[in-house]
Amino acid sequence: MAGGAPRIFVSHLSGVPVFDPNGDQVGRVRDLVAMLRVGGRPPRLLGLVVEVVSRRRIFLPMTRVTGVESGQVITTGVVNMRRFEQRPTERLVLGELLDRRVTLGSTGEEVTVLDVAIQQLPARRDWEIDKIFVRKGKGGALRRRGETLTVEWSAVTGFSLEEEGQGAENLVATFEQMRPADVANVLHHLTPKRRAEVANALDDDRLADVMEELPEDEQVEILGKLKEERAADVLEAMDPDDAADLLSELPEDDKERLLTLMQPDDAADVRRLLSYEENTAGGLMTTEPIVLRPDATVADALARVRQADLSPALAAQVYVCRPPDETPTGKYLGTVHFQRLLRDPPFTLVSSIVDTDLPPLRPDASLPQVTSYLAAYNMVAVPVVDESGSLLGAVTVDDVLDHLLPDDWRETDYHAEEVPGAR
C-alpha cells in the first residue's frame, strides 16, 4: 500500500476474508498480533491470525499483506500453514486490548478501549497501532453515556499490565456475524481469564451454542466460573444431550446442585439422558426431535421444520406418534422425510405418508450399531424407541461424529495438511 494509506480500525477487520492474488480465499481474519514497545512508542503490528478452511489458525506476517481495503485482505499468496502460537512478547489486539481499562496521561482519568486503529508507515511495509478509540466513564449506564474520543497511543498508559476484571463487550461485538463453532474456536485460543470474561459478556443462548462447540474440559472450566444460577440457565439453553454430556463430567454433588436449579422439565430430560450409557443410542440422542400427531398436515410439518433454532439434521425429518407428542411419546408410527413433505400437497395428513420401513433403534444400541444404521440407510438422524413403542428421542449424525472423531480433533485440525516452513 502506498504512503498516506487510510487508518483502519481493527474491529472492522474481524472475520474479513483473506484472498491470494488469484482471488482464491485463503481464510478469514480472527485477530491481529502486535508487539508492545517501551517509551510510549506505538506497538508494531506483526501480522494477522487467519483461520483457514480446516479451522487451523495460522500466522500471516504483515510483510505478506499487499492490500487491506473494501472489506478484504490481499496477500502475496505465499502462506505458511503452521499453527499460530502466541509468543510471550506478543499481544492479540482483539482478544487482549479491546475492553481494557487504561489511563489518560493528561488527566489521569480511566477510560475503556473500544477500538484501536492501525496504519501503514509511509514508504514502508511496516504497520503500527497509532490511535486508540476510548470511552470515558466507569462502566454500567454511565459508561454507555460517556464521552468518546480518539487519542494517540502515547496518550494512554496501562496496556502492559495484566488487568483484573477486563470487560469483553467490544470483543463480543466482533462475534456477532460468526457461527458458534467459529466463536468457540476463538475462545479456545484465549487465556482462561479472558475466556471467562467473554463468557460473562455473552447472553445465555449464545453462550450455550458456543459451549456446545468447545472441548469438554473448557466447557467445565467456563461453567465453573459462572454463578450457579446462571450456569443452570445456560444448561437449560443447551441441547439436552449436550447438557447431559457436560454434567456427566462434573462431581456428583455439583451435578445434582445444578440439576436442582434447572427448570423441572429441562432437568427431567437431562436426568433421563444421564441414565443411559454414554456410547449408546440413549446416551447420544436428543429428547427434542420434531414430533407430530397423525392428524397433523404437511403444512404443519413444514412450519415446524422452518424453525430457525433447529439443526439441519433434526429438520430433515419429522416423527409421527400418537399423543402425548413430547418424548417419551405415545406409540411411534413412523418417519416422514423432508423431501416427501415437499412433494405432497399442504393439506395431506402426515399419517398417510409415513415411512414405516425403517426400523427404529433401541436406547441400548451401541455406537457402532448407530453408525452402521446411518450409513446403511443414508440417514442424518435415527429415531430411538423403547420396548413399549414410545419415541424417546433421535440420534443425529453430528452427535455420532463427535464420538467418532479423536477427543482432541478441535486442537489437531483433523485431516489438515502441514506445509513445511517456519513463521
Side-chain angles (χ1 to χ4, degrees):
M1 296 178 68
R7 181 174 294 113
I8 300 167
F9 282 92
V10 298
S11 63
H12 298 161
L13 291 177
S14 176
V16 163
V18 179
F19 296 95
D20 66 19
N22 296 323
D24 295 324
Q25 185 170 337
V26 176
R28 290 187 178 273
V29 176
R30 291 308 182 207
D31 216 319
L32 299 88
V33 183
M35 182 174 66
L36 302 184
R37 295 191 282 191
V38 298
R41 297 169 62 200
R44 180 185 170 207
L45 190 65
L46 303 178
L48 308 176
V49 180
V50 176
E51 184 177 298
V52 295
V53 176
S54 64
R55 296 182 63 191
R56 175 188 297 272
R57 286 161 48 104
I58 66 170
F59 179 75
L60 177 64
M62 292 306 295
T63 54
R64 296 181 182 174
V65 174
T66 59
V68 182
E69 53 193 20
S70 302
Q72 62 184 8
V73 174
I74 308 298
T75 78
T76 60
V78 181
V79 177
N80 183 354
M81 296 297 290
R82 174 173 292 181
R83 177 192 294 277
F84 167 69
E85 293 184 5
Q86 186 178 357
R87 295 169 180 169
T89 57
E90 297 172 345
R91 296 293 182 270
L92 296 177
V93 179
L94 292 172
E96 299 180 37
L97 301 190
L98 296 195
D99 302 297
R100 289 190 72 90
R101 298 284 293 168
V102 295
T103 303
L104 285 176
S106 58
T107 64
E109 182 179 4
E110 277 200 343
V111 293
T112 301
V113 178
L114 303 182
D115 212 340
V116 301
I118 60 174
Q119 193 168 34
Q120 190 174 22
L121 299 180
R124 297 171 60 185
R125 301 186 72 179
D126 287 344
W127 292 69
E128 66 180 21
I129 296 176
D130 68 335
K131 300 284 186 180
I132 314 293
F133 182 54
V134 299
R135 187 190 298 275
K136 294 183 178 181
K138 295 184 179 180
L142 289 177
R143 180 169 163 184
R144 293 297 178 192
R145 295 194 296 266
E147 176 190 357
T148 59
L149 63 158
T150 302
V151 299
E152 299 287 339
W153 174 271
S154 58
V156 300
T157 59
F159 280 108
S160 61
L161 301 176
E162 179 69 14
E163 183 177 340
E164 294 296 332
Q166 181 179 357
E169 290 83 357
N170 298 293
L171 175 58
V172 167
T174 69
F175 297 159
E176 186 175 354
Q177 302 302 320
M178 294 171 62
R179 292 177 179 270
D182 296 326
V183 178
N185 197 38
V186 174
L187 261 63
H188 174 68
H189 291 88
L190 296 178
T191 63
K193 168 185 169 294
R194 193 66 173 132
R195 195 154 48 231
E197 290 163 348
V198 172
N200 281 324
L202 293 170
D203 63 57
D204 292 348
D205 289 337
R206 183 66 160 163
L207 179 56
D209 291 340
V210 172
M211 293 256 293
E212 291 172 2
E213 304 296 336
L214 284 169
E216 287 181 348
D217 59 335
E218 290 175 8
Q219 291 184 40
V220 172
E221 170 200 304
I222 291 174
L223 197 72
K225 292 181 180 179
L226 300 176
K227 293 182 178 179
E228 285 192 342
E229 292 78 7
R230 190 183 180 213
D233 291 341
V234 171
L235 287 167
E236 290 171 5
M238 294 176 70
D239 288 338
D241 53 325
D242 291 303
D245 288 343
L246 173 52
L247 285 171
S248 68
E249 299 295 317
L250 302 181
E252 194 63 33
D253 290 346
D254 294 344
K255 176 172 66 179
E256 189 56 39
R257 189 161 55 250
L258 288 171
L259 283 168
T260 302
L261 290 171
M262 293 172 64
Q263 292 295 324
D265 289 346
D266 294 316
D269 285 342
V270 175
R271 288 183 188 277
R272 184 150 49 90
L273 291 170
L274 286 169
S275 68
Y276 298 110
E277 293 292 332
E278 180 181 0
N279 288 323
T280 63
L284 294 169
M285 70 181 180
T286 176
T287 58
E288 298 179 344
I290 303 177
V291 178
L292 293 173
R293 298 186 181 190
D295 58 352
T297 64
V298 165
D300 296 327
L302 289 174
R304 294 285 299 277
V305 167
R306 281 196 293 268
Q307 292 178 2
D309 57 348
L310 278 176
S311 70
L314 281 180
Q317 61 281 302
V318 300
Y319 302 108
V320 182
C321 304
R322 298 198 184 282
D325 49 7
E326 291 186 359
T327 58
T329 68
K331 182 176 176 57
Y332 167 74
L333 301 178
T335 300
V336 181
H337 307 287
F338 177 64
Q339 284 184 320
R340 183 62 190 267
L341 293 173
L342 296 177
R343 292 198 298 265
D344 283 85
F347 54 78
T348 305
L349 295 179
V350 292
S351 57
S352 68
I353 57 174
V354 292
D355 183 349
T356 58
D357 293 335
L358 292 175
L361 289 178
R362 292 285 185 257
D364 58 355
S366 66
L367 178 58
Q369 288 176 304
V370 177
T371 306
S372 298
Y373 183 105
L374 293 171
Y377 297 112
N378 297 316
M379 300 289 287
V380 293
V382 51
V384 181
V385 173
D386 65 14
E387 292 181 357
S388 67
S390 298
L391 181 71
L392 300 176
V395 181
T396 57
V397 68
D398 54 312
D399 288 320
V400 173
L401 286 174
D402 279 344
H403 285 74
L404 290 178
L405 289 169
D407 291 339
D408 61 348
W409 67 270
R410 293 179 176 86
E411 293 80 28
T412 56
D413 300 320
Y414 202 54
H415 294 314
E417 294 184 0
E418 290 282 356
V419 176
R423 172 175 153 188

